[in-house]
């Protein structure tokens, strides 16, 4: 699998496995299957209520813990320094692991000082509970506040797919050495129906899902599609084995739209 270097020693597999809405046995079996097929990057969150199943699947696999990149997220109500520290400690218990590779602020919360939150993250890092710090659903203005703290963040995980091509945010992240991670990379299935994507898929004899994931990953973005369907899990991984022409990249770049799927009432996208 192609890799994204975070530090000289640390690499993040660009195709991860999303686990939102996967619970109980379906979650455990799907994560086990994903690891068996070759995924080495798993994305979860406290609010997905599946830490136990994700942790059990990783433990059951024959892959060494150090060879799996594990991301989880602290919910927006738990962003005080104290709650961040307590959350990190609880998460490693639930995930049955000694450390988390990447811990994210799941959503910004303007009622809690970012400095206080990041202090908690730095403490978890100093204690060896997490390796990297990241954010999710942050706008450029949120990111500017983080950059002012001088605390380096690894990624901003945001909704990103052909019908929500967030180019300005991507360019800002690239300039500031922040990797973008694309959630809902296939727009929960909606973008598979875009005629331009379908035409390109036919041309390469590939699936629309594979065209979209390849378009994302070749931009240096991490994609974390979720599936509980064994065929889809495998197909998504195979999206890496494809070379789209620059012209086809352009066609997808120009699809346009502002099709935001995840927009809860507490979001701060207008900040
Ligand atoms: N940070 C955040 O706030 C945030 C928000 C949303 C999501 N996320 C993360 O991002 C991950 C991905 O986003 P998502 O789960 O919302 O959406 P997604 O990955 O864009 O789409 C998932 C849906 O697409 C289907 N699917 C997957 N692969 C397919 C394929 N090859 N062909 C046809 N259908 C396919 C799945 O059904 P089947 O199971 O039938 O394959 C499922 O219904 C989440 O699981 C989560 O880890 C983070």
């Amino acid at each position: 699998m192609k890799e994204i270097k975070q530090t000289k020693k640390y690499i993040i597999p660009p195709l991860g496995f999303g686990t939102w809405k996967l619970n109980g046995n379906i979650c455990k079996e799907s994560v086990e299957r994903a690891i068996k097929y070759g995924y080495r990057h798993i994305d979860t969150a406290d609010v997905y209520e599946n830490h136990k199943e994700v942790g059990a699947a990783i433990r059951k696999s024959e892959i060494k813990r150090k060879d799996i990149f594990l991301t989880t997220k602290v919910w927006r109500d738990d962003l005080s320094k104290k709650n961040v520290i307590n959350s990190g400690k609880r998460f490693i218990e639930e995930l049955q692991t000694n450390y988390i590779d990447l811990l994210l602020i799941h959503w910004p919360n303007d009622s809690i000082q970012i400095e206080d939150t990041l202090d908690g993250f730095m403490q978890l890092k100093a204690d060896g509970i997490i390796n990297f710090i990241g954010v999710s659903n942050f706008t450029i203005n949120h990111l500017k506040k983080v950059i002012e703290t001088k605390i380096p963040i690894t990624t901003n995980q945001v909704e990103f797919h052909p019908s929500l091509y967030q180019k300005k945010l991507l360019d800002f992240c690239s300039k500031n050495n922040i990797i973008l991670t694309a959630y809902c990379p296939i727009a929960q299935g909606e973008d598979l129906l875009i005629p331009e994507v379908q035409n390109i898929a036919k041309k390469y004899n590939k699936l629309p899902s594979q065209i979209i994931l390849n378009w994302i990953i070749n931009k240096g973005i991490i994609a974390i599609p979720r599936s509980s369907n064994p065929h889809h899990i495998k197909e998504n991984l195979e999206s890496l084995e494809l070379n789209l022409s620059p012209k086809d990249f352009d066609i997808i770049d120009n699809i346009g739209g502002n099709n935001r799927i995840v927009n809860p009432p507490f979001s701060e996208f207008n900040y």
Side-chain angles (χ1 to χ4, degrees), residues 136-186:
S136 177
N137 297 300
F138 273 39
T139 63
I140 290 177
N141 284 333
H142 291 120
L143 292 174
K144 282 182 180 162
K145 277 174 89 177
V146 173
I147 291 165
E148 274 170 24
T149 69
K150 304 247 174 8
I151 294 175
I153 57 161
T154 296
T155 192
N156 184 21
Q157 183 181 120
V158 295
E159 184 173 341
F160 188 101
H161 43 80
S163 62
L164 186 69
Y165 176 27
Q166 304 204 60
K167 176 128 181 21
K168 250 171 95 177
L169 183 60
L170 174 62
D171 289 346
F172 181 87
C173 286
S174 307
K175 259 191 223 129
N176 289 285
N177 210 16
I178 300 167
I179 301 164
L180 205 85
T181 300
Y183 77 63
C184 300
I186 57 168

Side-chain angles (χ1 to χ4, degrees), residues 20 43 48 136-137 157 184 188 224 226-228 232 236:
W20 185 26
D43 181 85
Y48 301 171
S136 177
N137 297 300
Q157 183 181 120
C184 300
Q188 297 184 346
I224 48 168
R226 174 245 320 174
S227 177
S228 57
H232 294 163
N236 292 346

